[in-house]
Amino acid sequence: MVSLGSAAALTSPPGLLSFLDKVMGGGSGVSRIGKDLAFGSNGQTLDVWRPVGPVVKRPVVIFWYGGGWYKGNRRAYGFAARAFAKAGFVVVVPDYRKVPQIRFPAMLQDGADAVKWTRDHIGEFGGDPAQIVLSGHSAGAYTVAMLTLDQRWLKAVGVDPRIVKAAAPLCGPYDFYPWTSDSARDAFKGAADPAMTQPITFARADAPPMLLVTGTADTTVRPRNAIHLAARLKTLGGRVELINYPNQTHEGVVMALSVPFRGRSPALADSVAFFNRSLAAR
């Protein structure tokens, strides 16, 4: 019998993928130990995942899903949470408000609130607030890049931006003005200075180490976004690595986090190795 939760997972492509990931073994050895946990002041909620077994202090990944700023939900991305949890991390997957109810910078404010909650509460779930790294896909990767590079958002909620020890955004928009897609125009409509919406504007030498992942066949968020940001960071003396997977599409990169499609690319292994190197180097 398919549970109500499983049935709901079948209503979107990421949800279906998460369902398949679970039944194909992605759920073994991990547990969602926090569900529908409230954070922030706008009704946001998040889930927490971790490896099963003894509770020991583990590094933490906060993962933001994509969806063009107007769709998506955390439950459909259980496959990403399970992937990082099986690699030894405590994983936080937050929701955030969507267009058209909000526009820039509300998604970043929600992201900052999620980091603040993680700082304050992740120890209760076996996570180490001194070892927080960020990841996400597409619109979620935008949040990752902005929270990593633009210090305003974490400072605004009383969080030291140095709490972010590393970031590995997947297929994100970092240098995308003028806006050419309807979703971007809707999300950033009314921004007083478009340059202040662009992660590349905030590239700096002292930013946390970043792994920028993209695919040569990504026609949704062009690889030039990652290529341009990597080049800017390198010019400034920042710590950055760039991986542009041959023949990988926008969806294919994040799908490779799941058990059914893990053979498509080493996106998971590369991200985990990068996080482990970055945390060890501290």
Side-chain angles (χ1 to χ4, degrees):
M1 176 180 290
V2 177
S3 68
L4 290 176
S6 297
L10 300 176
T11 61
S12 70
L16 175 59
L17 179 58
S18 191
F19 175 77
L20 294 174
D21 176 83
K22 182 177 180 179
V23 300
M24 292 178 66
S28 64
V30 301
S31 175
R32 182 172 58 181
I33 57 171
K35 180 180 178 182
D36 301 331
L37 302 176
F39 73 96
S41 57
N42 293 286
Q44 310 100 303
T45 51
L46 56 80
D47 291 345
V48 180
W49 299 73
R50 60 163 290 118
V52 298
V55 177
V56 296
K57 190 175 286 187
R58 295 180 180 274
V60 180
V61 175
I62 308 177
F63 185 90
W64 285 272
Y65 55 82
W69 296 289
Y70 68 92
K71 65 180 179 178
N73 70 83
R74 69 187 187 282
R75 292 181 180 175
Y77 285 81
F79 69 91
R82 290 189 289 263
F84 283 111
K86 291 187 82 165
F89 294 85
V90 175
V91 185
V92 177
V93 184
D95 271 325
Y96 52 95
R97 291 169 291 165
K98 310 295 193 305
V99 174
Q101 286 73 30
I102 59 90
R103 290 189 170 87
F104 173 88
M107 68 285 279
L108 301 181
Q109 293 164 338
D110 289 355
D113 281 338
V115 176
K116 181 179 181 179
W117 182 95
T118 303
R119 181 198 65 182
D120 294 344
H121 298 285
I122 203 62
E124 302 164 22
F125 300 89
D128 184 355
Q131 297 189 82
I132 294 175
V133 298
L134 310 183
S135 188
H137 176 249
S138 194
Y142 171 80
T143 292
V144 170
M146 286 295 278
L147 294 182
T148 301
L149 297 172
D150 183 358
Q151 298 178 313
R152 291 178 298 166
W153 309 109
L154 292 178
K155 287 182 177 179
V157 295
V159 175
D160 186 338
R162 292 174 297 180
I163 197 171
V164 178
K165 304 307 180 190
L170 313 176
C171 300
Y174 317 123
D175 181 19
F176 60 108
Y177 184 78
W179 305 304
T180 57
S181 70
D182 289 341
S183 61
R185 284 191 288 265
D186 288 343
F188 297 94
K189 181 179 180 180
D193 182 356
M196 301 300 281
T197 70
Q198 302 293 291
I200 198 167
T201 299
F202 302 98
R204 51 192 172 87
D206 61 343
M210 299 189 73
L211 170 66
L212 304 178
V213 174
T214 186
T216 62
D218 187 344
T219 58
T220 302
V221 178
R222 302 285 181 174
R224 64 176 179 80
N225 283 271
I227 293 168
H228 289 181
L229 179 56
R232 178 71 62 85
L233 284 165
K234 286 181 179 179
T235 297
L236 296 172
R239 296 162 293 176
V240 62
E241 300 177 27
L242 171 68
I243 299 179
N244 193 1
Y245 294 120
N247 305 315
Q248 288 301 298
T249 65
H250 187 71
E251 297 79 11
V253 170
V254 73
M255 289 171 68
L257 300 181
S258 71
V259 169
F261 295 98
R262 196 155 294 166
R264 282 193 171 188
S265 80
L268 176 62
D270 287 342
S271 297
V272 169
F274 171 76
F275 286 146
N276 288 337
R277 287 196 307 272
S278 300
L279 292 171
R282 291 195 312 120

